[in-house]
């Protein structure tokens, strides 16, 4: 094993080791390792662990691999740190080489759905996770609002107008993508200052590990004042109207350069820039050559400020609006950029890979990315079985990906899926069952205790919620009734459609899921110290998985019984609403599954009463109506099974539905569903009023007299096991 004179990254990784290991980090030694590929070697003897690596991220991966392979413990999002190790066991020499050059991380949306209100402690923990899991290329947008403020100030706009254009803090990433502006704001001046400093600190730490952050770039989206004096067009995204410059206008390149210069001055650069000029919006000109003109102008603006600029673009539009993005248009767009100046992120490759459709993006370097989670939705599910084969197929392509990425819209969900993706940056996974057994043992770090119970529980999960082969896990299809908007639209045709919707979400045998859940509850009851770590997260997530399907069943029972009676079925409706109360109690035991936790993080940034009101509004709005209470376009998109929402906001909505069900059942079939007196219209108005009340007042107080999470999980299991009965399950999923 080679050694060096203390590589530049050593102190940074040493700091990570101390945060992970506590005093046990003292005998960890780091050295440089030569090589063109990312690689490491480690060995441990006489209580000393020696790691040699090509870079700081590879050294961090080595540390994590040692902990997993020799100490039987992994470091996840929920692991309690520092670990309880008192000594470092011996390990023979072990070497590793990355399968790909880069590990990409984040989606613009992640910065709204997970970390809009994070502080440095949150970010330090996240960057440590990134390093341990092989992330080398993180998207970095924290503080970008300060860049835009500086650039537009240089272009003559005043402070008040710029902050109005930027809008609310919780929505900034959507502003950066050009989806909206001026919404839920204005941006507080204190936010600009504080997040400029936080963004710089995040970038400093990422670079200290040897990561190459990707910074945002100009998308053509401008304030109305500038659009009025230039060639520009209007476009809409989910009901929000914005102005975008024509690439032929010289102002396009000028603003692009101004933003890039301001960014370099404030945050430096690693020459990687993310811009998505068409993220979910059709170009303002239908000419097939127009996207290429946008591409050329975008790159010209970048290179005017940074001649070494490389543009990273998410390929999401080619999937989201595939009718518009024909092969001709995509090729015209890609061909306008030299291959060495663009990096394409195939964003949803685990479900809708585009790399084969577009011949590995016409020679552009590209990233295979896994998205899975939209909006931070908490109902767990994933297709683990197909994942390794999908990655292997991409790596065997004529032009394989330059990296593997995690592009979820929100983190802290389905950790097994994202751990499996991250592992494949460095390691092939030929046997998923063996990988899962190791994952379960390392996740809880029990040192062999409860090994059989944990292995059996996770095999049960692999055969149920994590066997979603062929299932489209997206909000337009993967949504149970708890977070869905209540409606009477099904009544004229009967509940057959409700039955079909519920059946689509139950592609497995619910009794297998129930047994997996019970096994984890049993472990928690015997070892309550584990509740503070990943086991607590998993109990909450499994409780949601099972109870969401119970709610679907109870809703269908209430609907069918009401149709049968010709009147609202009181006992069935009461049982349905009781599910919300009972699930809310369990969720209240885990802070990150409470709305109060989310809102308190937001309010921590307020410096006065006005900012407190604005930040509370942003936190409440994003997770419920998203936009305005009278627009259904994004309502419940970020639906979360959180205490305060489940037993408060969502329950109240379904209670309103239950109250009006009698009237809806007796409506004259020939009478249109319009007007104030129609049941559906009345329900919509009541739901709008309830949403407005939540925006003003927030969630109800947390439930009282709670037991710990093991106690509340057992209470829930005892009350509901066996009640998520199957619907019309497809025969090919009878596993």
């Amino acid at each position: 094993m080679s050694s060096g004179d203390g590589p530049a990254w050593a102190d940074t990784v040493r700091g990570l080791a101390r945060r992970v290991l506590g005093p046990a980090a003292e005998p960890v030694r780091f050295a440089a390792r030569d090589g063109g590929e990312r690689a490491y070697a480690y060995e441990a003897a006489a209580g000393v662990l020696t790691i040699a690596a090509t870079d700081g991220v590879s050294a961090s991966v080595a540390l994590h691999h040692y902990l997993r392979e020799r100490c039987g413990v992994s470091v996840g999002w929920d692991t309690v740190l520092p670990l309880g190790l008192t000594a470092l066991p011996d390990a023979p020499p072990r070497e590793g080489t990355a399968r790909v050059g880069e590990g990409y991380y984040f989606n613009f949306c992640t910065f709204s759905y997970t970390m809009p209100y994070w502080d440095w402690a949150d970010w330090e923990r996240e960057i440590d996770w990134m390093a341990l899991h092989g992330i080398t290329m993180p998207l970095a947008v924290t503080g970008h609002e300060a860049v835009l403020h500086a650039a537009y100030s240089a272009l003559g706009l005043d402070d008040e107008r710029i902050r109005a254009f930027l809008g609310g803090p919780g929505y900034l990433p959507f502003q950066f993508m050009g989806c909206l502006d001026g919404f839920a704001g204005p941006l507080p001046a204190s936010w600009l200052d504080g997040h400029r400093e936080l963004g710089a600190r995040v970038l400093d730490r990422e670079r200290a590990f040897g990561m190459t952050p990707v910074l945002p770039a100009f998308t053509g989206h401008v304030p109305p004042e500038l659009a009025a004096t230039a060639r520009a067009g209007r476009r809409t995204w989910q009901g929000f109207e914005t102005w975008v410059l024509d690439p032929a206008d010289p102002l396009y390149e000028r603003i692009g350069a101004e933003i890039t210069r301001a960014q370099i001055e404030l945050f430096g650069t690693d020459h990687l820039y993310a811009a998505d000029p068409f993220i979910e919006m059709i170009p303002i000109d239908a000419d097939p050559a127009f996207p290429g003109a946008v591409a050329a102008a975008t790159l010209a603006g970048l290179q005017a400020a940074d001649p070494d600029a490389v543009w990273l673009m998410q390929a999401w539009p080619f999937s989201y609006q595939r009718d518009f993005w024909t092969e001709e248009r995509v090729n015209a767009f890609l061909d306008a950029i030299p291959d060495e100046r663009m990096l394409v992120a195939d964003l949803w490759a685990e479900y809708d890979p585009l790399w084969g459709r577009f011949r590995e993006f016409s020679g552009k370097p590209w990233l295979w990315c896994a998205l899975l989670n939209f909006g931070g939705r908490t109902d767990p599910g994933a297709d683990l079985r197909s994942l390794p084969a999908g990655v292997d197929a991409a790596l065997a392509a004529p032009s394989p990906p330059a990296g593997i990425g995690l592009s979820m819209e929100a983190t802290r969900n389905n950790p097994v899926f994202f751990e499996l993706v991250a592992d494949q940056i460095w390691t092939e996974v030929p046997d998923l069952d063996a990988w899962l057994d190791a994952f379960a043992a390392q996740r809880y770090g029990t040192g062999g205790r409860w090994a059989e119970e944990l292995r059996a529980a996770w095999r049960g999960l692999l055969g149920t919620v994590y066997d979603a082969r062929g299932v489209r896990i997206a909000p337009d299809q993967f949504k149970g009734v708890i977070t869905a908007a209540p409606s009477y639209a099904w009544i004229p045709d009967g509940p057959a459609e409700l039955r079909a919707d519920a059946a689509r979400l139950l592609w497995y045998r619910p009794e297998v899921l129930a047994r997996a859940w019970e096994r984890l509850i049993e472990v928690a009851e015997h070892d309550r110290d584990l509740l503070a770590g990943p086991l607590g997260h998993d109990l909450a997530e499994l409780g949601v998985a099972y109870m969401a399907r119970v709610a679907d069943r109870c809703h269908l029972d209430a609907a069918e019984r009401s149709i049968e009676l010709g009147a609202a079925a009181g006992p069935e409706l009461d049982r349905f609403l009781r599910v919300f109360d009972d699930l809310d109690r369990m969720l209240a035991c885990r802070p990150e599954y409470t709305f109060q936790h989310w809102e308190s993080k937001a309010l921590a940034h307020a410096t006065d009463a006005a900012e407190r009101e604005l930040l509370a509004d942003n936190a409440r709005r994003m997770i419920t109506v998203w936009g305005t209470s009278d627009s259904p376009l994004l309502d419940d998109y970020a639906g979360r099974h959180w205490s305060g929402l489940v037993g408060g906001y969502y329950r109240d909505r379904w209670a309103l539905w239950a109250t009006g069900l009698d009237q809806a059942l007796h409506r004259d079939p020939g009478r249109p569903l319009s007007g104030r007196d129609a049941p559906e219209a009345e329900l919509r108005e009541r739901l709008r009023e309830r949403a407005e009340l939540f925006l003003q007042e927030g969630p109800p107080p947390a439930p009282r007299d709670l037991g710990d999470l093991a106690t509340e999980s057992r209470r829930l299991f005892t009350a509901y096991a066996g009640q998520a009965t199957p619907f019309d399950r497809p025969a090919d999923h009878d596993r």
Side-chain angles (χ1 to χ4, degrees):
M1 182 178 293
S2 63
S3 61
D5 297 323
W9 45 261
D11 285 344
T12 304
V13 183
R14 195 171 291 115
L16 178 153
R18 283 194 292 267
R19 290 186 291 276
V20 169
L21 294 170
E26 180 58 31
V28 181
R29 305 287 181 261
F30 297 101
R33 177 184 173 92
D34 297 330
E37 298 178 299
R38 297 184 185 276
Y40 70 76
Y42 75 69
E43 62 180 311
V48 176
L49 170 64
T50 303
I51 294 173
T54 53
D55 57 278
V57 171
S58 298
S60 304
V61 170
L63 175 62
H64 199 208
H65 283 186
Y66 167 78
L67 292 173
R68 294 168 64 185
E69 295 159 2
R70 309 306 300 183
C71 306
V73 60
S74 62
V75 178
W77 287 317
D78 306 294
T79 305
V80 176
L81 297 178
L83 300 173
L85 298 178
T86 57
L88 301 179
D90 288 354
R94 159 85 151 86
E95 296 189 353
T97 301
R99 301 175 78 198
V100 290
E102 305 293 348
Y104 182 68
Y105 196 39
F106 292 134
N107 180 314
F108 272 90
C109 300
T110 326
F111 291 81
S112 268
Y113 291 132
T114 293
M115 65 266 302
Y117 311 117
W118 277 9
D119 56 21
W120 171 244
D122 298 314
W123 269 111
E124 182 172 55
R125 172 71 187 249
E126 185 74 358
I127 296 168
D128 284 350
W129 184 96
M130 290 155 54
L132 291 166
H133 289 79
I135 301 302
T136 61
M137 189 183 285
L139 181 64
V141 311
T142 304
H144 184 61
E145 55 271 29
V147 171
L148 296 181
H149 190 278
Y152 285 119
S153 295
L155 290 164
L157 274 65
D158 63 37
D159 167 74
E160 184 176 349
R161 182 64 199 97
I162 297 170
R163 289 191 292 109
F165 170 67
L166 292 173
Y171 292 82
L172 283 169
F174 294 92
Q175 211 279 355
F176 302 159
M177 288 187 288
C179 300
L180 48 71
D181 59 56
F183 183 70
L187 188 70
S190 64
W191 183 278
L192 272 172
D193 295 336
H195 282 74
R196 181 179 61 245
E197 296 173 3
L198 179 61
R201 195 171 184 183
V202 167
L203 286 165
D204 285 348
R205 178 62 60 81
E206 289 173 348
R207 287 167 177 153
F209 275 110
M211 300 176 188
T212 52
V214 184
L215 302 177
F218 183 54
T219 64
H221 168 221
V222 293
E225 293 88 343
L226 293 181
T229 64
R231 293 174 59 181
R234 288 185 294 182
R235 62 184 183 181
T236 59
W237 176 82
Q238 303 293 344
F240 295 96
E241 184 178 84
T242 54
W243 287 90
V244 62
L245 290 176
D246 188 304
D249 193 304
L251 192 58
Y252 194 112
E253 181 179 335
R254 180 186 170 195
I255 295 178
E258 195 69 54
I259 289 173
T260 306
R261 290 191 191 99
Q263 187 152 248
I264 292 171
E265 182 176 344
L266 289 175
F267 296 129
T269 185
D270 296 274
H271 312 296
L272 289 174
Y273 302 93
D276 296 287
F278 317 116
I279 189 64
E280 288 183 353
M281 293 164 279
I282 297 295
I284 58 174
D285 189 326
D287 185 337
F290 183 77
V294 173
T298 300
L299 184 62
L302 285 168
Q303 289 190 295
D306 180 359
D308 297 321
V310 174
W311 174 11
L312 186 149
M313 196 197 81
Q314 300 177 136
W316 179 250
F318 309 153
S319 173
Y320 186 77
Q321 290 164 325
R322 62 178 59 230
D323 290 342
F324 176 85
W325 287 103
T326 62
E327 187 171 352
E328 178 188 14
R329 283 195 171 101
V330 172
N331 288 337
F333 177 78
L334 294 175
D335 290 346
I337 302 292
D339 290 351
E340 71 276 11
R341 293 297 176 195
M342 176 166 269
L343 182 60
V344 180
D346 196 352
L347 215 64
W348 199 14
E350 87 279 9
Y351 182 82
D352 185 24
L354 300 177
W355 59 269
R357 178 182 164 201
F358 295 112
R359 293 174 285 113
E360 293 98 66
F361 304 103
S362 301
K364 299 288 186 294
W366 62 286
L367 306 167
W368 188 101
C369 297
L371 201 165
L372 183 66
N373 186 269
F374 292 83
R377 303 188 67 83
T378 46
D379 200 340
D383 176 8
L384 295 187
R385 288 283 182 197
S386 303
L387 188 58
V391 172
D392 291 346
L395 293 176
S399 298
I404 294 171
L406 291 75
S407 55
M408 65 286 262
E409 287 191 352
T411 67
R412 306 306 194 270
N413 60 79
N414 297 292
V416 63
F417 177 85
F418 296 111
E419 293 274 351
L420 178 57
V421 176
D423 262 13
Q424 291 177 90
I425 296 172
W426 279 80
T427 308
E428 188 176 0
V429 181
D431 184 341
L432 181 64
D433 294 279
W435 181 92
L436 190 73
D437 287 347
F439 167 84
Q442 296 160 5
R443 178 162 174 77
Y444 307 114
T446 59
R449 302 191 318 277
W450 321 115
E452 290 303 316
E453 292 87 343
L454 294 173
R455 183 181 300 111
W458 276 96
R459 290 292 180 96
L461 297 181
L462 181 60
T464 55
V465 291
Y466 291 124
D467 190 16
R469 279 174 276 184
V471 178
R472 179 184 168 90
I473 301 179
D476 59 342
Q477 293 187 20
F478 188 72
K479 179 189 288 188
V481 300
I482 289 178
T483 63
S487 172
Y488 303 126
W490 54 272
I491 290 178
D493 298 322
E497 186 175 347
L498 298 182
R499 173 177 285 274
D501 288 343
R504 275 194 292 270
L505 296 176
L506 202 60
W507 61 83
Y508 51 85
R509 302 201 326 248
E511 65 271 19
V512 178
L513 176 62
R515 183 61 184 128
W517 183 24
E518 185 177 30
R519 282 188 167 107
L520 288 190
I521 293 172
E522 289 169 349
V523 172
E525 289 172 331
H526 287 91
D527 203 339
R528 279 177 158 78
D529 289 344
L530 295 174
L531 286 172
L535 183 60
H537 172 95
D538 295 343
L539 280 178
E541 197 162 74
L542 263 67
V544 167
Y546 193 81
M547 293 303 296
R549 304 293 77 82
V550 169
D552 295 344
R553 173 84 260 178
C554 291
H555 171 252
L556 181 62
D557 289 346
E560 290 183 328
R561 182 61 174 158
S562 296
I563 288 285
E564 180 184 329
L565 294 173
E572 285 80 7
L573 289 169
D574 289 344
R575 179 168 169 260
F576 173 49
L577 294 175
R578 192 160 55 248
V579 171
F580 291 76
D581 296 325
D582 291 342
L583 177 56
D584 197 87
R585 283 184 61 88
M586 186 275 287
L587 294 169
C589 298
R590 186 78 182 183
E592 75 270 30
Y593 277 88
T594 67
F595 187 87
Q596 290 87 347
H597 177 75
W598 168 262
E599 185 168 300
S600 67
K601 295 290 290 184
L603 297 180
H605 295 279
T607 62
D608 58 31
E611 290 183 7
R612 184 178 179 86
E613 182 178 350
L614 184 145
L615 286 161
D617 173 84
N618 276 218
R620 296 167 185 172
R621 189 174 296 275
M622 172 68 71
I623 304 301
T624 55
V625 299
W626 208 104
T628 60
S629 60
D630 55 0
S631 172
L633 295 176
L634 288 170
D635 193 22
D636 302 314
Y637 178 83
R640 315 276 173 101
H641 296 83
W642 283 352
S643 178
L645 291 177
V646 172
Y649 182 68
Y650 297 139
R651 186 194 188 281
D652 289 352
R653 298 198 311 180
W654 282 106
L656 291 169
W657 172 83
T659 299
L661 185 56
D662 242 2
Q663 181 186 0
L665 287 166
H666 291 95
R667 185 184 68 81
D668 180 356
R671 192 174 188 178
L673 283 176
S674 62
R676 290 282 302 177
D677 60 336
E680 182 75 4
E682 289 181 6
L683 176 61
R684 290 173 187 165
E685 178 60 17
R686 299 290 84 77
L687 294 177
R688 189 196 66 78
E689 291 171 352
R690 181 62 187 90
E692 283 296 323
L693 183 64
F694 183 84
L695 295 178
Q696 294 165 18
E697 298 184 357
R704 296 183 177 182
D705 304 321
L706 291 174
D708 65 12
L709 184 54
T711 300
E712 295 299 334
S713 296
R714 173 61 72 181
R715 191 197 311 269
L716 206 58
F717 180 86
T718 300
Y720 291 99
Q723 295 189 31
T725 51
F727 301 87
D728 301 316
R729 187 174 60 247
D732 64 338
H733 275 78
D734 188 16
R735 299 188 181 109

